[in-house]
Amino acid sequence: MMHASSGSSLLKAVPMLLLFSSGFILGMISIANFPKFYESPLLSPMLHSLVPSSSRPIMQPSPSPETPCVWPPPLPSSTPTPAPSPPSTPTGLMGFLAPSGVTHNMTDEELLWRASMAPRVSRAPYSRVPKVAFLFLVRAKLPLRLLWEKFFAGHGKELYSIYVHSDPHFAASLPTDSVFYGRMIPSQRTTWGDANLVEAERRLLANALLDLSNERFALLSESCIPIFDFPTLYAHLTGSNDSFVDCFDNAGARARYRPALFAPHNITAAQWRKGSQFFEMDRALAVEVVSDERYFPAFRDSCAGRRGCLIDEHYIPTLVSLLRWRRNANRTLTYTEWRPRRPHPRSHGARDVTEELFGKMRGGAGNCTYNGKASDVCFVFARKFSPDALAPLLELAPKVIGFG
């Protein structure tokens, strides 16, 4: 009887246990799904309006697949992340053809290598206007600058360019509207009669060759002046088929030839030449001068330990001879008045500046040719003029030279 009562009680308890277990399981499932229910689109706005903001739970976002799985997420850095740099603009053709300035940090070796490059395609893919490069090799100042300023005034810079080599560095401050402002190339020390003068000439040529529009190259000093106006001089230079490098052979020229130094470089006495330092040449010959690695070392070595070796009177004339350069007039365009048995030419002062002097300088000794024909224009530049000649030159320029 007792056993029957116990079995009956056990049977009654089993359904109660099953019901309790089911309720417990359902409760756990509801608790697990409650946050999703709380954040559902339907109930979330209504519940948030009923719960004060201070008591609302802070829901941390789940890390996305693109962000690292770090919890809690790191605080933002106090240093802002720099914005990415914009892509650089490619240099166009004109940026390559004409550098914006003359300053750079190239060594002489790098400069000469860069300047020696020459286009092989004869037809230019742009409208080309030939420019004349005026190369000033000076000693710290330009005492006749105001005359040159008037010479260039009113003429577009697409027709000319200016390069100044000066060491010590140019002493005078220049106004920003001067044609010489910002035209000082990286320069090195020069000494009269030394090989470094030729190095300076090559440095000037190399800098000017970087501008592919420069077609004619004229070397000048601080004592040089123009003896024609700009249009006449420009037409004379750009219209010529020849370069103007003074190049002659005589007993006086061969006096400085040293067989021990020059014969090993295949430079014979018969090829040795002499001439004025002041040249005017076309682009093709200028490229040859800056590209020369065969002959210039012999000239430079000939000056080692010697004063006044004067290779500036021999290097370019002899190079023209060695290259058998046919397009050369064998004369200079810079008038110089030499005095017998004097190492330096005459210097013209204020009292020498007359109309008669200009007539003498322009015609020279006569018998000049231009593109194979007789010409009454032998010179377009002249030297040497002292600083005190500036005032009378400025006064005479409008009447005689045609500018100012």
Side-chain angles (χ1 to χ4, degrees), residues 283-333:
R283 188 175 184 90
L285 183 54
V287 171
E288 294 290 344
V289 173
V290 303
S291 304
D292 173 36
E293 296 179 303
R294 182 177 181 181
Y295 302 113
F296 178 67
F299 286 87
R300 182 185 57 220
D301 296 343
S302 73
C303 273
R306 297 174 58 211
R307 291 178 60 85
C309 60
L310 302 175
I311 69 162
D312 55 307
E313 295 180 355
H314 294 279
Y315 169 62
I316 293 180
T318 301
L319 181 63
V320 169
S321 170
L322 291 164
L323 295 173
R324 298 181 179 181
W325 201 261
R326 296 182 178 180
R327 301 191 308 275
N328 183 42
N330 289 329
R331 64 183 177 90
T332 180
L333 288 179

Side-chain angles (χ1 to χ4, degrees), residues 98-166:
S100 57
V102 298
T103 57
H104 55 77
N105 59 0
M106 287 186 284
T107 64
D108 276 359
E109 182 182 12
E110 294 168 338
L111 173 65
L112 294 172
W113 176 81
R114 171 67 182 83
S116 68
M117 300 179 184
R120 297 289 298 275
V121 178
S122 58
R123 185 173 180 179
Y126 62 98
S127 178
R128 189 168 189 168
V129 177
K131 291 202 294 188
V132 177
F134 294 83
L135 315 177
F136 289 86
L137 179 53
V138 307
R139 292 175 295 181
K141 55 185 178 180
L142 281 166
L144 305 176
R145 177 180 65 84
L146 292 180
L147 182 70
W148 284 103
E149 297 274 9
K150 291 184 178 297
F151 169 77
F152 289 113
H155 303 288
K157 291 188 177 180
E158 71 277 4
L159 301 178
Y160 70 91
S161 52
I162 295 173
Y163 302 85
V164 181
H165 185 291
S166 175

Side-chain angles (χ1 to χ4, degrees), residues 225 227 335 337 339 345-361 382-394 396 400:
I225 66 166
I227 55 178
Y335 174 86
E337 187 174 333
R339 296 171 292 180
R346 179 181 178 181
S347 181
H348 299 284
R351 294 182 180 181
D352 301 314
V353 180
T354 62
E355 292 186 39
E356 291 73 22
L357 175 64
F358 274 85
K360 178 183 176 180
M361 294 188 298
R383 62 186 286 266
K384 298 173 58 174
F385 284 82
S386 59
D388 69 319
L390 177 61
L393 284 170
L394 291 173
L396 203 61
V400 177

